[in-house]
Amino acid sequence: MTISNIGLSVSRRTALAGLGAGGLAGLALAVPARRASAQEATPASFAGHPLVGTWFLEVDADPTNALQLFIIHADGTYVEAWANGNVRLGVWAPTGPTTGTLTITAYTEDPATGANLGAETVRLTVTLDPGGDSYHAVGTLEHTLPDGSLSGQAGPATGYATRMKVEAPGTPVMTVAELFAAPAATPEATATP
């Protein structure tokens, strides 16, 4: 599915990834009609909130698609790293003991000219699932056109995330060199005279 009714072409995967487990966050870049300003004050620490951590974002049910990674920081900021190298930034705030609100804005530019192609803003309500190792998000998407005009919010948009957990190293079954070596030919793959 492609969203193109307002002049920007955004794939469903890209749009939903912006939700990223609430694809949280807001990129503080400006467009002519909406100048960004510095945050008014550094937020209080949210270190004790259970949404703080590193998460895997799933934006669709296709297990063959790469997951995105994001971090919800205790200072109210958000950073998302996509498998394709894109990075999104945002802000969040807790709204309850297991909930929060997230805002993410990502700007795009014409790769040839550097011209502003507009932005996509994702606004989410995030709810931690029982157990604390996953959450779901529901929200809206909105486009900002290069002239600063807004599409209006569309929704609902959803996303899911699973917490990254610390894992101790296991017992090696091969060397690092073997892991990155070219695969050896198997007898079935070897031509016979």
Side-chain angles (χ1 to χ4, degrees):
M1 173 175 102
T2 301
I3 300 171
S4 61
N5 60 340
I6 58 167
L8 293 176
S9 178
V10 178
S11 72
R12 179 177 186 271
R13 179 169 174 74
T14 300
L16 292 176
L19 295 179
L24 319 170
L27 186 58
L29 297 178
V31 295
R34 291 180 83 175
R35 295 283 174 204
S37 61
Q39 289 180 326
E40 296 190 12
T42 302
S45 175
F46 303 140
H49 199 279
L51 289 175
V52 172
T54 303
W55 299 83
F56 295 102
L57 172 62
E58 178 64 52
V59 295
D60 58 36
D62 185 347
T64 63
N65 289 336
L67 297 176
Q68 317 308 330
L69 289 169
F70 65 94
I71 299 173
I72 297 176
H73 297 272
D75 67 355
T77 60
Y78 169 90
V79 175
E80 182 177 327
W82 289 19
N84 67 5
N86 289 346
V87 174
R88 293 176 174 239
L89 304 176
V91 292
W92 79 283
T95 56
T98 59
T99 59
T101 299
L102 178 63
T103 301
I104 306 158
T105 300
Y107 287 82
T108 58
E109 67 178 21
D110 182 302
T113 66
N116 176 19
L117 296 178
E120 176 184 291
T121 298
V122 180
R123 296 173 182 93
L124 299 167
T125 297
V126 179
T127 303
L128 195 65
D129 295 330
D133 289 330
S134 62
Y135 76 75
H136 64 278
V138 178
T140 62
L141 301 173
E142 183 173 37
H143 293 294
T144 302
L145 299 177
D147 67 1
S149 62
L150 302 174
S151 67
Q153 297 185 42
T158 60
Y160 303 90
T162 304
R163 187 181 303 277
M164 179 185 280
K165 296 181 181 179
V166 175
E167 298 178 11
T171 303
V173 296
M174 69 184 85
T175 67
V176 173
E178 291 169 329
L179 177 65
F180 291 101
T186 61
E188 297 83 25
T190 306
T192 55

